[in-house]
Amino acid sequence: MKRLLPLLFVLVIGLTVASVPVAAQIEPDIDATVSEPSVAPGQTQQVVVTFTNDDDDAPPARVVTAEMESGSTPMTVRSGTKFIEPIAYGQPVTGSFTVEVPEDVEPGTYDLEIDLEYEYGPVNNTGWKTVDAEVVVEDRAHFAVESVNGTVPSGGTNELAVNLKNVGTQTAHDASVQTTAQGTGLRVGGQSEMVTQFVAEWEPGETRTVTVDATAVSGTNPGTHAIQSVVEYEKPNGIDMTAIPATAEVLVTEARSFDVTALDSTLRVGERGEVVATLRNTGPREMTDAVLELGQTGPAVQLEMSQYGVGTIPVGETRTVTLPITIAPTAEPTPQRLSLALSYADADGNLQRTGETTVMAPVGSERDRFVLERTDSTLRVGEEGVLELAVTNNGSAVEDLVLSLPGAGQNVHPLETEYAIGAMAANESTTVRYPIEVSSNAEAIPRQLSFQVQYEEDDRDFEMGPYNVRTAIEPQKDRFDITATNATVAAGESGEITVELTNTGELPVSDVNPKIFADDPLSADDDEGYISALKPGESSTVTFEVAVGAGALTKDYPLSMDVQYEEGGDTKLTETVQVPVTVTEQEGGGFLPIVAVLVGIALLAGGGYWYRRR
């Protein structure tokens, strides 16, 4: 009996303790709200849910798991079970879930279900609860990306075609699409990192395509990268709206590149030249139907085209392309930067574009577009002559080339002011001959003649000049070479003299009238001659009767002569020239000296007689 007493005591104490009531545990009161409830048809987007514990007496919910389900909605949940931070009173927490909204969903409010499981209280009680996450499909325009055409090589650039569809129920007025890249590996729109394009009216169900230039930063790992398009528009009631962003994936492929192995340049300031570039595919894939694209250049470089077909370039092989380029006349003769890139089709037929490669093309100094060089000249004072020029075209081929000499200065008169050369090929030369008359009043000094050039190139008219050509004007020469072939007359007598006239000009003359003018002791009653015509270089003679006074000394006396003649329908008169006439002793000329001696003797004798008479 004594042994049973302790056992009974323990049982009594145990029953007593067991009969004491334990305090009840308050379960957290968890609720869920969606901070941005609007969802767009045809989009897969993140739905952010905020969880709150609404009972200030309840302990926090710990080790919370949340699984969203579509419930009775037409939507599909793409995210699995998520762990949520502890939910305490006054301390809301959020969770993000991926929801796919069908394109044909009707506008309205939809409840997505979230199954929650959690622990609470000091003894780790477990709780379960299902809450609703309310989302709204509004009666408005919504936009979804149907597809993106194009990929971007790492370190390169390519044009992407983004196909967007209005999957909403309203027309978007004055719509514009703003596209940006998400993340750091991809960018669009160059330095602005944004592309905005105006679309105007956009009906429900209508698909529009916007194009953007996308660049994958050098070193970007191949894979998918996101771009986002946001449509801003006006509702039918005039309210401005911004659509829910439409996100699409862009594939960045492995880097593909090329280099320039050779570069030849014929560029010159103010001229059209060529750059010949040799391109090598450095891999890693063949480039099919490659097109060389020239990017932005400085203002001095004028491109005729921005794209040139190259063809297919297997890895390691080269292709050569010729780029016609014009350098502005205001440019400096320094190398000019050219930015080159290749677009091509890959093995899957996708359009690709390499990164840009910069080359420096040498530019030579400016030279005359045309060169005018004197090759011959017969210009002479008082005559018509010819100036012969070699004209060289230093540029590309031209049409309707005309060389003009508007004026040559005083006393120099071009008989033709324009010379129509016509077409000239690049680097071609031709010879032109300008007839020019130099008046007799001109000075025999070098002259500078200024020419103008008009021509047509690439269906545009140009005028250049002046082009200065220096030429000498030779001194005036006698129009006739006059030579006395028989001009000897004895003193005190008369005789015939013969004069030969030679036409030294380049034109025939007619009605040639030489006339002589005699001064004492010469005289001439027969002072004119006549020659009907003289061809260039032809000679003829005329004869004149000349008398010489008895007291003339035996020497040459000048006989003046000028010539009047007809040339080209004009009557002209030469300058006066001197023809020498040789005077000889009178024939039988001993009589006069003897008489003179006798008279002298008689005078002396008479003088002696008179002296003696005194």
Side-chain angles (χ1 to χ4, degrees), residues 272 304 326 369 396-399 455-462:
R272 179 183 183 272
E304 291 192 6
T326 300
R369 178 65 171 82
S396 56
V398 299
E399 301 287 338
Y455 62 97
E456 181 182 304
E457 182 179 12
D458 297 331
D459 296 326
R460 292 186 297 169
D461 294 327
F462 296 89

Side-chain angles (χ1 to χ4, degrees), residues 91-254:
Q91 298 178 5
V93 297
T94 59
S96 182
F97 302 88
T98 303
V99 177
E100 183 180 293
V101 184
E103 189 174 299
D104 58 353
V105 66
E106 294 292 331
T109 300
Y110 297 87
D111 289 331
L112 298 168
E113 296 177 354
I114 303 176
D115 294 330
L116 300 172
E117 183 177 352
Y118 51 88
E119 295 180 356
Y120 65 96
V123 293
N124 296 333
N125 294 325
T126 301
W128 294 269
K129 187 174 185 180
T130 298
V131 294
D132 291 334
E134 186 179 275
V135 295
V136 178
V137 178
E138 297 183 16
D139 185 16
R140 54 183 283 190
H142 292 286
F143 302 90
V145 177
E146 287 192 323
S147 62
V148 176
N149 297 331
T151 60
V152 184
S154 179
T157 301
N158 194 18
E159 185 179 82
L160 302 177
V162 182
N163 300 308
L164 285 163
K165 182 178 182 180
N166 181 357
V167 296
T169 56
Q170 289 186 338
T171 298
H173 301 277
D174 295 329
S176 62
V177 182
Q178 187 178 89
T179 304
T180 57
Q182 307 299 296
T184 58
L186 190 70
R187 68 169 182 259
V188 298
Q191 297 296 325
S192 65
E193 299 186 358
M194 178 187 301
V195 175
T196 301
Q197 293 175 307
F198 184 69
V199 183
E201 302 299 303
W202 203 336
E203 300 289 340
E206 185 180 4
T207 298
R208 295 292 184 89
T209 300
V210 295
T211 57
V212 296
D213 285 332
T215 300
V217 178
S218 180
T220 300
N221 292 327
T224 57
H225 293 256
I227 61 172
Q228 190 176 83
S229 296
V230 177
V231 180
E232 295 182 347
Y233 65 97
E234 185 179 287
K235 294 184 70 174
N237 59 8
I239 298 176
D240 292 332
M241 300 292 293
T242 299
I244 296 172
T247 303
E249 291 184 342
V250 175
L251 178 63
V252 174
T253 61
E254 56 187 313

Side-chain angles (χ1 to χ4, degrees), residues 366-403:
E366 184 177 13
R367 63 178 180 175
D368 287 337
R369 178 65 171 82
F370 297 91
V371 173
L372 276 61
E373 183 179 8
R374 178 180 59 83
T375 55
D376 193 18
S377 173
T378 61
L379 303 187
R380 184 180 293 274
V381 173
E383 296 185 16
E384 293 179 8
V386 173
L387 176 65
E388 184 178 275
L389 303 175
V391 181
T392 302
N393 175 16
N394 280 330
S396 56
V398 299
E399 301 287 338
D400 299 330
L401 178 63
V402 176
L403 187 66

Side-chain angles (χ1 to χ4, degrees), residues 478-482 499-502 509-517 529-531 534 542 544 560-566 571-577 579:
D478 292 335
R479 185 63 181 83
F480 298 93
D481 183 11
I482 300 175
V499 179
E500 182 180 73
L501 280 75
T502 302
V509 295
S510 62
D511 295 331
V512 181
N513 295 109
K515 183 175 182 178
I516 59 176
F517 303 91
Y530 179 77
I531 302 172
L534 285 176
V542 291
F544 301 96
S560 297
M561 175 184 288
D562 62 23
V563 182
Q564 181 177 291
Y565 60 97
E566 295 286 334
T571 300
K572 298 183 179 181
L573 182 67
T574 67
E575 299 288 335
T576 300
V577 298
V579 177

Side-chain angles (χ1 to χ4, degrees), residues 17-27 57 59 120-125:
V17 173
S19 63
V20 176
V22 179
Q25 297 297 307
I26 301 176
E27 187 172 348
D57 293 327
Y120 65 96
V123 293
N124 296 333
N125 294 325

